[in-house]
Amino acid sequence: MTTTTPSDVRPDPPHSSAPSDDRSLAEFGYPQELHRSLGRYASFAAGFSFISVLTTVFQFFAFGYAFGGPVFFWAWPIVLAGQLLVAACFAELAARYPISGAIYQWSSRLSNATFGWFAGWIMVIGQIVVVGAAALALQMVLPAIWPGFQLIGTDPAPTSADGAANAAVLGVILLVLTTVVNVVDNRVMSLINRVGVTAEIIGAVLIIVLLLTHSERTPTITFHTTGAAQSGLLGALLVGSFTAAYVMIGFDSAGEMSEETRDPRRTAPRTILTALAAAGLLGGLIVLAGLLAAPSLSDGHLSVDGLSYVLTSSLGDGVGKVLLADVVVAIAVATLAIQTAACRMLFSMARDGRLPFGARLSRVNPRTGMPTAPALAVGVLAAALLLLNFASPEAFLAIGTTCIVMLYLAYAMVTGPLLIRRIRGEFTSEGTDETGARLFSLGRWGIPVNALALLYGLLMTVNLAWPRAEVYDPAGGHWYFQWFTVLFLVVTVGLGALYRLWGSRRGHAAPETALPVPPAASVPQP
């Protein structure tokens, strides 16, 4: 582990003669090591590609429909509204603390080093799980394009033994490719991200338009729970919300890439909000269009094959498979973006001397501007997680829901301390960005928006983690899958606590003080 003194125990350095972006980073005691080459669209792409509506909607549509029926659509606007509250809080923080490792950095500066460390620890483990979950989405699409992609067995359904094992193989292949890109060069990664996001947006719009022109029914169908595995409207919405909850995470990635973004105090807040809003709108329309265009709502296909079935059956194999190919691009780019975000979190925590092998994990290749070791670590750990799919098909759902809970909890570990600071009058909305414009601020709406964001996040965390046997262990006999999310969270926190205890006894733990929170007035002027 690195023995470098972390930034929370050294004074803020005076402004240097470096460009304003670099001075902005120097305010927090860090040198400019990552290459600052991302513009506004690249920053937007970082958040949008993590959310990746085509990846996540295609991956979890079947699950949402199976348990919620058509009414699960209404969970979408509810989750979008809740996440926009969280995103608004994050936009304020991104303007004030434009640093890699956003969740860890924000929580540490708003609370204390221990609490912030656990927020970062939970977030990075959750991100690694999300990387694996995103890679598994290939199984929902590739075999529908060409049966030859079913490399193992004959049943492509991800809930079957053949489908689960094949998903793991396809996922590992994808992780090898994304890991290579995350090592090669900052500009290559950004280019692939931008191209992929552009293709995804175009594909999403085409899917919406084409499916709406092939509608078989009216939007009133969304008020029905016909075929829902959950009894009652509330149960259908609570479990059906898993789809929307899984889709609308990762918008904070625009803040995660702040050290590589030009004018981050101005750019990141806007792209955090626009990435979520754009993804939320497109995703909701895709879900609605899929429900309206499905040939049948009761033949069982929607609950198993999801949107892939709707595209190929409604639009024909030719057009349907072309659009599915666009979904494959979206899945690959999403996996790349999520892995990149996890790499930046590892890098940020390691740079402060708060992770094992910190010196290696915080090393940046000066030629590529990329931290190589974190990319390899995330790729290997995510690939290892996919091996659970060989053990049981239920691992597919367990991995997906676990990553959502981890991120929701980490988000709450930011919005909670932020709310306390607001109530105490310790969080200011003053200050200017690199251009001299006022920082993004919620103003007098700060406390109510923040309070609702925290309440929403906590309620959704409980809802997602609740060990429903009919959801997590429908076949019965696998108690560990029913309790997988809770157990995984307990193990994550337990391992973190053991590491902290071991580090403190060996004198390696970071000081138990909060990272500095410079007043907004100290934001460097251009």
Side-chain angles (χ1 to χ4, degrees):
M1 171 180 294
T2 182
T3 57
T4 302
T5 305
S7 64
D8 52 359
V9 294
R10 58 176 174 242
D12 292 343
H15 294 171
S16 67
S17 59
S20 61
D21 290 345
D22 296 351
R23 294 205 312 270
S24 181
L25 184 58
E27 279 285 307
F28 302 98
Y30 300 117
Q32 183 67 51
E33 295 181 282
L34 302 175
H35 291 182
R36 197 178 288 278
S37 60
L38 307 185
R40 182 178 300 178
Y41 189 69
S43 177
F44 166 83
F48 189 91
S49 57
F50 192 124
I51 300 171
S52 187
V53 289
L54 291 188
T55 299
T56 47
V57 172
F58 272 79
Q59 189 173 10
F60 265 71
F61 180 95
F63 173 83
Y65 185 83
F67 284 95
V71 79
F72 96 98
F73 164 79
W74 291 106
W76 195 277
I78 295 173
V79 172
L80 175 58
Q83 289 295 67
L84 281 172
L85 295 172
V86 177
C89 295
F90 286 3
E92 281 192 308
L93 294 172
R96 288 153 182 78
Y97 313 117
I99 316 172
S100 292
I103 298 299
Y104 153 70
Q105 292 284 351
W106 297 342
S107 183
S108 296
R109 294 170 194 280
L110 295 169
S111 56
N112 58 58
T114 298
F115 191 84
W117 185 90
F118 273 103
W121 174 249
I122 291 172
M123 183 68 182
V124 75
I125 298 299
Q127 287 173 325
I128 292 172
V129 180
V130 179
V131 174
L136 288 175
L138 284 178
Q139 183 62 25
M140 298 295 296
V141 184
L142 283 179
I145 296 176
W146 179 51
F149 286 118
Q150 185 65 33
L151 306 175
I152 298 178
T154 57
D155 189 349
T159 53
S160 68
D162 289 350
N166 196 67
V169 173
L170 295 177
V172 170
I173 294 172
L174 176 57
L175 287 173
V176 171
L177 297 176
T178 58
T179 300
V180 170
V181 175
N182 260 308
V183 169
V184 173
D185 189 270
N186 172 284
R187 291 167 295 181
V188 173
M189 178 272 296
S190 176
L191 176 62
I192 293 175
N193 221 10
R194 296 196 307 273
V195 171
V197 164
T198 302
E200 180 172 4
I201 292 174
I202 293 172
V205 171
L206 286 175
I207 288 172
I208 293 167
V209 172
L210 290 173
L211 288 182
L212 288 178
T213 59
H214 289 74
S215 294
E216 300 284 342
R217 56 195 61 85
T218 66
T220 56
I221 192 64
T222 58
F223 294 98
H224 294 251
T225 58
T226 306
Q230 290 290 299
S231 59
L233 177 62
L234 181 60
L237 286 174
L238 287 176
V239 179
S241 67
F242 283 30
T243 299
Y246 181 70
V247 173
M248 287 180 272
I249 54 175
F251 46 86
D252 54 293
S253 292
E256 197 74 64
M257 303 297 289
S258 288
E259 291 185 30
E260 294 153 89
T261 303
R262 296 188 292 269
D263 300 332
R265 294 184 190 273
R266 177 179 54 173
T267 301
R270 297 178 182 180
T271 52
I272 285 174
L273 291 169
T274 53
L276 175 60
L281 176 62
L282 289 174
L285 290 175
I286 290 173
V287 171
L288 177 61
L291 291 172
L292 299 185
S296 172
L297 298 179
S298 58
D299 63 3
H301 279 292
L302 275 184
S303 301
V304 177
D305 304 317
L307 282 175
S308 298
Y309 153 73
V310 179
L311 282 187
T312 54
S313 58
S314 298
L315 306 179
D317 279 351
V319 176
K321 289 182 178 180
V322 169
L323 293 174
L324 286 179
D326 188 62
V327 176
V328 173
V329 173
I331 293 171
V333 173
T335 305
L336 171 65
I338 300 166
Q339 186 175 4
T340 302
C343 292
R344 298 308 180 267
M345 180 67 75
L346 278 178
F347 163 74
S348 183
M349 295 183 72
R351 179 174 57 181
D352 283 350
R354 296 186 173 183
L355 286 177
F357 313 107
R360 185 176 297 274
L361 289 172
S362 62
R363 190 175 303 151
V364 177
N365 186 318
R367 181 182 62 82
T368 65
M370 304 284 271
T372 302
L376 296 174
V378 173
V380 169
L381 291 173
L385 190 64
L386 296 189
L387 298 180
L388 286 174
N389 256 35
F390 285 100
S392 174
E394 281 80 7
F396 176 82
L397 180 58
I399 292 173
T401 52
T402 296
C403 67
I404 315 172
V405 171
M406 300 285 281
L407 267 63
Y408 264 79
L409 182 57
Y411 287 175
M413 294 177 76
V414 173
T415 55
L418 177 59
L419 179 60
I420 293 173
R421 288 245 177 192
R422 289 188 197 275
I423 294 173
R424 291 176 177 174
E426 297 172 352
F427 185 80
T428 177
S429 60
E430 301 299 321
T432 57
D433 63 22
E434 298 86 351
T435 67
R438 290 176 61 85
L439 295 178
F440 175 86
S441 174
L442 292 173
R444 59 190 179 91
W445 292 98
I447 290 180
V449 168
N450 198 159
L452 289 173
L454 176 61
L455 178 63
Y456 160 78
L458 293 176
L459 290 177
M460 278 299 294
T461 299
V462 173
N463 175 43
L464 294 166
W466 199 263
R468 301 174 176 90
E470 65 273 23
V471 174
Y472 296 112
D473 187 26
H478 301 91
W479 64 269
Y480 44 87
F481 278 122
Q482 179 182 345
W483 291 87
F484 184 88
T485 298
V486 176
L487 292 173
F488 193 91
L489 182 58
V490 170
V491 170
T492 298
V493 174
L495 289 175
L498 288 175
Y499 167 69
R500 298 282 297 181
L501 180 62
W502 173 82
S504 63
R505 288 183 175 179
R506 295 179 62 89
H508 291 168
E512 302 303 310
T513 57
L515 292 169
V517 186
S522 71
V523 174
Q525 301 296 316

